[in-house]
C-alpha cells in the first residue's frame, strides 16, 4: 500500500513546481516534504525527483504517480463531501484563498462567524491574487476562493469551476484636497486627461483595467507611481503626488488632504466565490458562501 501523505506531498510538488512551494501549501517544512518523497522513493523503488540547477524536477514515473495521486485525492474529497453532507453540519478542514483587500476587509468577520457557529469546521485562509485563484481551486490546492473581476477584464475561470456572485464593489477617485476635481460633484472619464496616476503594478487586474479603460477613452495614462497596497496609494495622494482609483473594499479611513470624487459611469468590480463542482454539496462550502454574502451585504449597507 502506498502511503497517502507521501502521495499528497508528491502531488503538491507537481502542482506547485517546487519542494518549497509545496511545503508552504501543505503547512510543512521543506525538509519534511523532501523526507516524505524520499520515503516514497524507497517504497516504490523508483527515482521520483531529479536535481536540476538549484531546484528539482519530477521524473516521468513521478509525473504518472502524481497524476494518479490527484485522482485519488479527488475521490477522497468526494467521499468526505458525502460524509459531511450526511452529517448535515460543516466540519473538517476548509482552505480559503482571497485577494488582499478581501482578506483584510471581508474575511475576518466571515471567519469569526464560522468559528462561532461551526466549531467543528477548521477554516484556513491564504492570501492570493485573484487571477491565480481559479487555477488553485481547479487543481485542488484550495477548496474555495474569493476573487474579483472588472467589466473589461472578466475573471478567467477554468472549465467546471462553479461560482457565485458575492456582490459589487464600486470604485471612486481619490484626489488631493486642493485638486480641481475635488470641487466636482462627479468626474467623467474625459476629465482625466493628463492626470498623474497612482495605481497597482503591471500584471494586476486593477492595473490592466485602468490602462484599458483610459486608452478606450482616447487617453494614454501617465502612471507616475505603481504600488500594490491601497493604503500606500492613499498616502501618495495625500502628499499631492497624483490621483488614484480605489475600490471601496480597499479603502480605509482617509487622511486629511484626500477627497473622494465619484467617477461616472461608476467603475465596479464584481466579487465571486469559486469552488470545485465535486464540493458543491459540502455544507462547509454552502455555509461559507452564505456568510460571505451576509457580511458583504452588511458592509455595503454600512458604506451606502
Amino acid at each position: 500500500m502506498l502511503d497517502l501523505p507521501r502521495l499528497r506531498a508528491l502531488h503538491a510538488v507537481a502542482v506547485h513546481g517546487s519542494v518549497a512551494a509545496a511545503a508552504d501549501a501543505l503547512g510543512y517544512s521543506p525538509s519534511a516534504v523532501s523526507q516524505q518523497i524520499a520515503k516514497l522513493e524507497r517504497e516504490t523503488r523508483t527515482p521520483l525527483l531529479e536535481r536540476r540547477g538549484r531546484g528539482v524536477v519530477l521524473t516521468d514515473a513521478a509525473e504518472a504517480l502524481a497524476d494518479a495521486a490527484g485522482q485519488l485525492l479527488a475521490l477522497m474529497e468526494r467521499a468526505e463531501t458525502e460524509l459531511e453532507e450526511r452529517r448535515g453540519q460543516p466540519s473538517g478542514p476548509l482552505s480559503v484563498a482571497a485577494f488582499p483587500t478581501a482578506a483584510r476587509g471581508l474575511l475576518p468577520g466571515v471567519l469569526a462567524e464560522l468559528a462561532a457557529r461551526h466549531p467543528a469546521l477548521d477554516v484556513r485562509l491564504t492570501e492570493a491574487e485573484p487571477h491565480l485563484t481559479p487555477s488553485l481551486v481547479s487543481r485542488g490546492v484550495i477548496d474555495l476562493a474569493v476573487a474579483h473581476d472588472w467589466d473589461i477584464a472578466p475573471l478567467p475561470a477554468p472549465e467546471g469551476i462553479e461560482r457565485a456572485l458575492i456582490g459589487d464593489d464600486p470604485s471612486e477617485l481619490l484626489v488631493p484636497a486642493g485638486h480641481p476635481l475635488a470641487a466636482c460633484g462627479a468626474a467623467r472619464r474625459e476629465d482625466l486627461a493628463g492626470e498623474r496616476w497612482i495605481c497597482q503594478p503591471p500584471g494586476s487586474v486593477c492595473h490592466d483595467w485602468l490602462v484599458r479603460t483610459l486608452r478606450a477613452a482616447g487617453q494614454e495614462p501617465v502612471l507616475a507611481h505603481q504600488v500594490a497596497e491601497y493604503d500606500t496609494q492613499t498616502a501618495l495622494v495625500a502628499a499631492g503626488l497624483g490621483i488614484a482609483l480605489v475600490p471601496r473594499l480597499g479603502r480605509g479611513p482617509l487622511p486629511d488632504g484626500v477627497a473622494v470624487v465619484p467617477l461616472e459611469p461608476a467603475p465596479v468590480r464584481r466579487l465571486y466565490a469559486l469552488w470545485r463542482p465535486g464540493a458543491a454539496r459540502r455544507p462547509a462550502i454552502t455555509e461559507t458562501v452564505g456568510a460571505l454574502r451576509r457580511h458583504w451585504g452588511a458592509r455595503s449597507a454600512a458604506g451606502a
Side-chain angles (χ1 to χ4, degrees):
M1 292 288 291
L2 295 174
D3 184 83
L4 183 59
R6 294 166 194 167
L7 288 173
R8 191 188 299 274
L10 179 66
H11 181 258
V13 174
V15 168
H16 295 283
S18 71
V19 171
D24 286 340
L26 295 172
Y28 300 152
S29 67
S31 62
V33 172
S34 296
Q35 290 171 17
Q36 292 277 33
I37 295 177
K39 291 177 181 178
L40 188 59
E41 286 182 320
R42 292 195 293 271
E43 276 184 350
T44 60
R45 297 187 295 277
T46 304
L48 299 176
L49 297 181
E50 293 179 351
R51 182 145 317 265
R52 185 169 298 176
R54 293 187 174 182
V56 295
V57 295
L58 272 65
T59 64
D60 291 343
E63 293 281 2
L65 188 56
D67 182 66
Q71 297 176 47
L72 179 59
L73 293 170
L75 286 172
M76 287 188 58
E77 180 182 53
R78 287 199 291 271
E80 290 168 349
T81 295
E82 291 179 3
L83 287 172
E84 187 178 324
E85 187 179 22
R86 286 178 179 272
R87 288 192 296 266
Q89 293 292 329
S91 61
L94 181 74
S95 55
V96 176
F99 58 95
T101 50
R104 181 180 70 246
L106 179 61
L107 268 297
V110 171
L111 299 183
E113 177 188 326
L114 292 172
R117 295 182 60 188
H118 306 292
L121 180 63
D122 182 15
V123 184
R124 304 291 179 91
L125 174 64
T126 299
E127 187 177 288
E129 292 300 324
H131 66 281
L132 299 177
T133 51
S135 176
L136 295 176
V137 173
S138 67
R139 289 183 291 153
V141 178
I142 57 173
D143 298 315
L144 184 144
V146 179
H148 71 73
D149 69 6
W150 299 80
D151 51 357
I152 63 172
L155 180 70
E159 184 177 353
I161 292 296
E162 297 188 10
R163 68 181 184 180
L165 180 66
I166 298 172
D168 291 338
D169 186 20
S171 297
E172 292 153 323
L173 290 172
L174 299 187
V175 304
H179 193 284
L181 288 174
C184 298
R188 297 169 299 173
R189 293 176 187 182
E190 51 265 35
D191 299 330
L192 304 177
E195 294 292 343
R196 291 173 61 83
W197 285 92
I198 301 162
C199 67
Q200 292 195 327
S204 66
V205 178
C206 298
H207 176 279
D208 294 345
W209 183 91
L210 177 65
V211 171
R212 291 184 194 179
T213 299
L214 294 179
R215 285 177 178 168
Q219 305 173 27
E220 184 60 32
V222 180
L223 306 181
H225 306 287
Q226 302 180 56
V227 294
E229 291 292 332
Y230 286 121
D231 286 347
T232 306
Q233 293 184 22
T234 303
L236 292 171
V237 172
L241 298 174
I243 69 173
L245 184 69
V246 177
R248 286 185 185 171
L249 183 58
R251 198 173 78 202
L254 296 179
D256 293 337
V258 175
V260 178
V261 180
L263 183 60
E264 296 181 351
V268 175
R269 65 179 185 179
R270 296 173 295 270
L271 273 62
Y272 295 98
L274 312 175
W275 64 89
R276 291 181 297 282
R281 304 190 319 271
R282 187 179 173 191
I285 295 290
T286 56
E287 281 293 308
T288 302
V289 173
L292 285 165
R293 284 174 160 169
R294 285 193 297 276
H295 282 260
W296 181 258
R299 180 185 176 92
S300 298

